[in-house]
Amino acid sequence: MRRLLAGRLLQGLAVLWVVATLTFVLLHIAPGDPYSYQGDRRVAPEVVAHWRHVYCLDRPLAAQYACYLGSLARGDLGFSISQSRPVREILVDYVPRTLELMSLGLILSFAVGIALGVLEARHRGTFADWGSRGIALFFYSMPDFWLALMLALVFAYWLPIFPISGIENVIAAPTYSGWQRLADHLRHLVLPVTALVLMTCAAIARFQRAAMLDVIRLEFVVAARAKGVSESAITRHHVLRNALLPIITLAGLMLPMLLGGAVLVELVFSWPGMGFITAMAVGSRDYALVTSSVLVTSALVVAGTIAADLLYALADPRVRAK
Amino acid sequence: MTLPADADNLLPPLSTNETSGQVDAVLFEKLAEVGDSLNVVGDAGFRPSLADSWTWAPDSLSIAFHLDPKAHWQDGVPVRAADVVYSYRVNTSKDVGSSVGPLLAGIDSVTAADSVTAVFWFHARSLEQFLNAGTQIRVLPAHLLGNVPDSALKTAAFDRNPVGSGPYRFVRWVSGSTIEVVADSTYHRGRPKIDRIIWSIAANPDAAMLRLFSGEANFTEVLRKQDVAEIGKHPNLKAVHYPSMTVFYVRFNERSRGWHGPHPVLGDRDVRRALTMAIDRKRAVSTVFDSSAKLALGPFTSALSTYDPALPRIPYAPDSASAILERRGWVMGKDGIRHKGDVPLRFSLLVPGTSTQRQQMSVLLQDMLKQVGARLDLEHVDFPTMNDRMEKHDFDAAFEGMTIDATPSGIRQEWSTSAARAGGTSNTGYYSNPAFDALIDSAVAASNAKEAISQYRRAYTTLIADAPAIWLYEGNAVAGMGTNVHPAHMRADMWWAHLADWSIGDGPAAKGASVALAAGAH
């Protein structure tokens, strides 16, 4: 188990280095730098030259890369020029919001996806099976951006049930008590989380259904049924437990997809998280912020994948033995 | 108020984006404010702000500003002349790199004559002395910032939790979400009318508009063409037009790419004039904007004090354009494109891919130029790419939008020969005419406003005749707001200049406001 963990960690570090380098190079070979666009206003050339010098932007690419790796090794993620503060401080503000959105999305996607998969497997071939799969496929096949926009249009604009965007009611929030504030925040989470769940739960449901159908045919299930165990007990205790293993793998694979979805959802619902800030940083060529955001996102995916591998090993003694 | 960008820094010398500028304008004060006429010559029309009066020295080489003795920082400490001295020093410090710094080059020093009198000393007399001394610097609290090294100001805690002397106090800044200020009832010029102002950050213009339409916001500063149509369907909302300082034009690069000699097509003044004659600007602008935008005459807008609607302009005359091109040796080829020897009459135009209006208009320009035998290739790029290529002179023409300030002399920074030689993002097309430079120098050095305006207008005439760009339209500024929002005069250079005088009348408040008011009542 330790060797497995050590191996995965080493692989993860290598992936992060490649991601950091690729992001750095791609960003720097794109035309422009953080001072190439100052909106419609003009900043004196000497001021721009001063700041380019301060942030090493007037040096050759290799020197900038060395500068970047050196800072990274010291744990310094750099200074965001568009936000005018250290990147570390920005990440402290924005990463928890994305994690909140993503973890809620992940938990609910799996809860809904597994429940649908079980339902479809138990009632395979019936109207409930076809109906559930059809509806899930309908949402799954929709473009992420469009689905989020439709949710906003229907449930926040035409039927003003939920807030249209943001993380709180900006006017009333300062006057709320702790519980009111939490309730307000949860209301703001409903539409973005729903969008994430609708985008991903269909895939989980299909995986779960297939895994359930594979297990249902196995001999120990037939034996249990022959012993007179009820269908619901068979599903809960025998089929579902054994059909959950592939879902653990899927959880690791779902992380990048959810993070990608979260970027779009954050933009549509103005949820100030990593996607929101990264999109703005790309538009302003904020090198330090973009590279750090990508690095943190990659680290999250790597950590999720390692966690899924470990969980799989814990759940399956055959993997542990290998 | 909802807008699609978060502030970057609330310390005025370091803030660079418009959101920061709006917040800073209600937190910090200048010594004086430009009047609504936007006159920037001498001190006529300027309004007292932090200074309640000022006195010119007999030789006009210094101005003494007397601070309002009632003015105080929001932590209770009175505003003193030492704060003005400190603010000048910070704005001219190389370690700070304030964008205001170059505008203060004419000031020799600032001293404190006594605790409430700050004196600005100038190198030489100029008509914009008062403007630069009185309105370029937002005064900062020296007692809170004086011990912070200039190089550390960028990361000072003050930047995100500022203390000013303005009509509003800072309350909170939730990154990417909200900036909130509250009326200061002890403000030395009287309490502002609106209790609280909240800047609510949306991720994009669409999200900002949905907030306005759904009642989650009272105000948004820019409506697009489609938004203006939509706002008519909402009885609780209104569209308010206000003057703009943004002008849009196609800039020609008069040098070849990389600036090795003149551009084979656009280096010829007559060709540039012919290309301008080929453009029916009135039709192009009315097609894209439904006649709601105004034609631009030059690199300035009608809101500028030196503007003259009678300035001569290059007319729309495609036949004359063809004749000029013919005379300059550009012969029509079988492919419908003119050639001069081996060189085709062909150039490319950088168009920002995120600007729908500029994209639409560039297609019209392409078609109009084709009629006289010129081929225009469109290159859609993002803003950083466009600016980078312009800075490196790697372009033929660029569809630019520029927000000018109220200072007519600002035209020198953008169109003079010295600006072209300085490099950077100014005068990237290398327009150079010694006659224009001399006229601007004369205007800046003029001894009275009438003479200055006359010289500026002669300079404008020279520039327009040289056709360094095709002047297209002035920015179409329309704000969306609740019918209960009563804005004070929205100035062309800063619509938010009089925010402290805005008021909210009867009518539906933004969602949550009633809850907030009820809670506030307790």
Side-chain angles (χ1 to χ4, degrees), chain A residues 29-52 54-55 79-86 89-90 93-94 97 145 149 152-153 156-157 159-176 180-181 187-188 264-273 276-277 279-285, chain B residues 4-9 14-17 94-99 101-102 154-155 159-160 172-178 180 196 198-204 206-208 210-211 213-214 216 218 230 234 246 248-249 251 358 382-385 387-392 400-404 413-414 422-426 510-517 519-520:
Chain A
I29 59 174
D33 70 17
Y35 290 102
S36 295
Y37 180 58
Q38 300 283 333
D40 287 332
R41 81 201 274 280
R42 295 281 181 246
V43 179
E46 56 267 33
V47 173
V48 172
H50 168 78
W51 288 117
R52 278 190 173 134
V54 167
Y55 294 114
F79 192 85
S80 161
I81 291 163
S82 67
Q83 298 282 307
S84 193
R85 59 183 176 139
E89 285 180 18
I90 297 170
D93 279 347
Y94 287 82
R97 294 178 190 146
F145 199 76
L149 272 175
L153 193 66
Y157 187 46
L159 308 168
I161 302 169
F162 297 107
I164 208 151
S165 58
I167 52 174
E168 62 176 14
N169 181 324
V170 294
I171 299 176
T175 63
Y176 285 157
Q180 284 174 319
R181 201 162 212 172
R187 281 190 71 228
H188 281 80
L264 293 174
V265 166
E266 285 178 6
L267 285 175
V268 172
F269 293 103
S270 295
W271 186 267
F276 179 96
I277 196 72
M280 290 194 173
V282 168
S284 54
R285 298 284 194 277
Chain B
D6 198 0
D8 57 350
N9 194 312
L14 293 171
S15 62
T16 56
N17 74 11
K94 279 196 170 174
D95 287 335
V96 176
S98 165
S99 58
K154 225 170 168 55
T155 50
D159 302 358
R160 298 186 68 83
R172 64 179 183 139
W173 179 2
V174 182
S175 298
S177 173
T178 313
E180 182 177 346
R196 284 198 294 158
I198 300 167
W199 283 264
S200 161
I201 317 302
N204 51 64
D206 290 320
L210 277 174
R211 280 188 183 174
F213 293 149
S214 67
E216 287 186 17
N218 295 113
E230 181 68 21
H234 297 261
T246 307
F248 294 85
Y249 51 87
R251 182 197 290 270
R358 283 189 242 185
D382 67 353
F383 279 113
T385 303
N387 279 29
D388 185 61
R389 286 186 56 183
M390 290 178 70
E391 195 176 348
K392 291 173 179 159
E400 278 191 276
M402 189 201 297
T403 301
I404 56 171
Q413 289 168 22
E414 191 52 49
T425 53
S426 298
K511 281 181 185 172
S514 56
V515 179
L517 287 173

Side-chain angles (χ1 to χ4, degrees), chain B residues 482-502:
Chain B
T483 49
N484 57 339
V485 177
H486 304 300
H489 175 73
M490 294 172 80
R491 245 170 58 187
D493 59 335
M494 289 196 297
W495 60 260
W496 58 90
H498 296 300
L499 210 46
D501 298 325
W502 290 32

Side-chain angles (χ1 to χ4, degrees), chain B residues 273 411 465:
Chain B
R273 284 179 60 88
I411 198 170

Side-chain angles (χ1 to χ4, degrees), chain B residues 308-331:
Chain B
D308 178 6
L311 281 168
R313 59 198 84 180
I314 297 174
Y316 168 56
D319 292 342
S320 303
S322 296
I324 292 172
L325 291 172
E326 204 71 45
R327 207 164 53 235
R328 298 298 295 170
W330 295 93
V331 182

Side-chain angles (χ1 to χ4, degrees), chain B residues 124-145:
Chain B
R125 285 178 284 272
S126 83
L127 290 176
E128 292 174 5
Q129 269 174 277
F130 187 85
L131 173 85
N132 292 332
T135 69
Q136 301 293 6
I137 299 171
R138 291 199 183 274
V139 179
L140 303 169
H143 68 287
L144 295 175
L145 291 166

